[in-house]
Amino acid sequence: MASFREGKLFRAALEAEEAAVGQCLEEIVRADVRRDELMPPRPGRSEPLAAELPATARVVPCECGEGRKLREFSVVVALATLILVAFCIFFVQVENDLQPVASPPFRFSVKLARLRAKPKETRIPQQLVLTSKDGSINSLPVAVQRNVRHTMALNPWVKVRFLGDQDCERYLLQHFNHTQLPLFFNQETRGSYRSDVCRAAVLAREGGFYTDLDVEMKWKFEDLAGNATTFLASWTEDGSVLNAMMGCTANSSFMLEVIEQLLRFYKGEPVERYGSTSEWMGPVTALAGLKAVAARDCPEQDLAPWEQAEFTCGPHVLRMFQERQLLCWDPMDPDCPGSRYMSEFPGVKYGIYIPPLGWHCGCDVRRGIALFRTRLSGKKSRSLHSRKPI
């Protein structure tokens, strides 16, 4: 009796197992049928798997294309995810570029400007070097802050290097400790001369653009430089080289020579003035550096002020602009509105222009590429020659 009961239980278990296996096989066949109906048949594969199944195991073909819609939805989600990740990386990069000088609303406007226009190719790196005593835009007068942000909005692809005195000291110790430049920088008490040393060192090693904080830019840096220029600056009215707006490639021969001229000045050695009447260290050493490299690399080239804008000097391509007084006596002068015309300080009535024999830029040469605005003190405007002389 016990053996009969055990045999019955064994048959029941076997039947249950066979039923489970059969159900599993039916599910596999149904999945295979769905795949065959949703996908084109493969070569060598017989079409009617469903015909071999009993009626209860056949699947009604899907008439709404859920599988295709599901695949299309997956592709859309994947593309949206990739676009979102790309935007996040882009915005983080802009945050890093503008963190020293910009408030969040302004940084967002620069992000939008980057989306609207791609950067042009230039040999001069897309970097803007700025200097002040503490290296912070928040300590500057409101008018100067607006001017710096205007420069950034005009050049949304430029990365900013804002250096204070301590930053400049660390930079000189790290990269120019083989010279006496860090010592001379620490001994210098005049802020404008410390800026002359710092900007020359950073530009000589890394390249990029530099402007004084109170220079109001009218042109983009990429348009000033073009795709071939390796050095750009401006002639002053007294025949020196204005270093309030400059640009150069990394390891520029001109800026390395300017550093040599700065060392000569601090050592008490004579610095050649080449007929210039300027008495300011920055413009005089910039002129000496320019002339020294030109005498070595292109002695036949006459770098004459006020005549030509673009020069080729050996492996170098130079663009030299021109400082001149605004035509404030002319009511039609677009660069001298009423605020400049009525100002009692003559420094705001100067700008930087393309010389008469400039390159074919298709632009209005009567309009300045940069104008001079307010003093860093915020009390009155600044002249090019408002610094104490050498």
Side-chain angles (χ1 to χ4, degrees):
M1 192 69 181
S3 61
F4 174 77
R5 190 179 294 109
E6 290 175 359
K8 190 175 181 179
L9 291 175
F10 176 77
R11 283 194 300 272
L14 184 60
E15 290 175 358
E17 185 178 353
E18 289 177 351
V21 171
Q23 186 179 1
C24 182
L25 289 174
E26 287 182 4
E27 293 294 332
I28 294 174
V29 172
R30 286 193 182 95
D32 198 23
V33 171
R34 291 192 187 98
R35 184 191 62 191
D36 289 344
E37 291 176 346
L38 295 175
M39 298 179 62
R42 291 175 291 179
R45 173 72 179 272
S46 60
E47 190 72 29
L49 269 181
E52 303 173 2
L53 296 174
T56 56
R58 295 182 185 179
V59 180
V60 178
C62 179
E63 298 178 355
C64 56
E66 290 90 346
R68 183 174 62 256
K69 291 182 179 180
L70 181 60
R71 287 197 301 274
E72 292 175 354
F73 178 75
S74 301
V75 171
V76 171
V77 170
L79 289 176
T81 304
L82 288 176
I83 293 173
L84 180 62
V85 171
F87 267 88
C88 290
I89 295 174
F90 171 78
F91 275 37
V92 168
Q93 181 62 41
V94 179
E95 290 286 333
N96 294 335
D97 289 351
L98 304 180
Q99 191 67 37
V101 297
S103 59
F106 173 75
R107 288 200 294 271
F108 182 75
S109 67
V110 174
K111 296 168 189 175
L112 296 181
R114 284 193 177 184
L115 291 175
R116 287 195 296 267
K118 295 182 179 180
K120 298 179 181 178
E121 292 186 3
T122 60
R123 296 179 66 180
I124 298 177
Q126 292 281 350
Q127 172 175 256
L128 174 61
V129 179
L130 301 173
T131 61
S132 69
K133 181 176 178 59
D134 57 6
S136 171
I137 191 174
N138 296 326
S139 63
L140 300 176
V142 175
V144 180
Q145 292 186 35
R146 286 200 299 265
N147 187 56
V148 173
R149 290 179 175 132
H150 160 76
T151 302
M152 288 302 309
L154 194 62
N155 303 276
W157 288 97
V158 170
K159 180 180 179 180
V160 178
R161 290 286 303 275
F162 206 144
L163 302 168
D165 284 349
Q166 294 183 355
D167 302 316
C168 292
E169 182 178 355
R170 286 193 295 267
Y171 192 90
L172 293 172
L173 287 172
Q174 182 177 358
H175 301 293
F176 291 89
N177 203 27
H178 59 285
T179 69
Q180 293 181 279
L181 207 58
L183 173 63
F184 295 143
F185 179 84
N186 287 332
Q187 293 176 346
E188 180 59 69
T189 58
R190 191 173 299 163
S192 60
Y193 283 10
R194 293 166 74 91
S195 176
D196 289 338
V197 173
C198 186
R199 81 187 69 165
V202 178
L203 290 179
R205 184 173 179 274
E206 300 180 12
F209 299 93
Y210 170 86
T211 66
D212 281 353
L213 299 177
D214 55 350
V215 173
E216 179 186 357
M217 297 302 302
K218 298 294 187 181
W219 279 31
K220 299 179 180 180
F221 292 132
E222 57 190 22
D223 293 333
L224 289 180
N227 58 4
T229 304
T230 60
F231 179 82
L232 66 86
S234 306
W235 302 110
T236 63
E237 283 197 322
D238 55 21
S240 60
V241 173
L242 178 67
N243 66 341
M245 186 199 75
M246 305 181 76
C248 67
T249 56
N251 300 312
S252 168
S253 299
F254 295 101
M255 294 309 302
L256 291 172
E257 183 60 35
V258 168
I259 291 202
E260 293 300 322
Q261 297 297 327
L262 287 170
L263 291 171
R264 290 175 60 86
F265 165 76
Y266 279 112
K267 292 177 182 177
E269 301 175 5
V271 177
E272 181 64 46
R273 296 174 183 267
Y274 295 95
S276 171
T277 59
S278 176
E279 296 181 343
W280 317 115
M281 181 187 76
V284 168
T285 53
L287 173 65
L290 177 65
K291 291 289 189 178
V293 175
R296 182 192 68 203
D297 294 345
C298 55
E300 72 288 349
Q301 178 68 266
D302 182 20
L303 303 183
W306 310 302
E307 293 183 1
Q308 189 174 347
E310 197 165 68
F311 305 87
T312 299
C313 179
H316 317 292
V317 179
L318 288 73
R319 279 191 178 178
M320 297 298 297
F321 304 97
Q322 171 188 341
E323 173 215 355
R324 71 166 173 83
Q325 193 169 3
L326 305 182
L327 304 178
C328 288
W329 51 267
D330 183 0
M332 301 301 293
D333 184 6
D335 291 333
C336 191
S339 58
R340 291 180 183 271
Y341 178 79
M342 299 300 295
S343 175
E344 298 180 357
F345 192 74
V348 297
K349 300 178 183 179
Y350 281 84
I352 301 175
Y353 291 81
I354 299 175
L357 300 180
W359 70 94
H360 181 68
C361 61
C363 55
D364 185 0
V365 296
R366 297 173 300 174
R367 301 295 299 267
I369 63 172
L371 304 175
F372 299 101
R373 289 180 62 86
T374 57
R375 291 177 62 91
L376 299 186
S377 64
K379 297 180 180 179
K380 63 178 181 178
S381 299
R382 157 203 183 279
S383 168
L384 283 175
H385 310 303
S386 61
R387 302 173 183 172
K388 296 181 181 179
I390 294 178

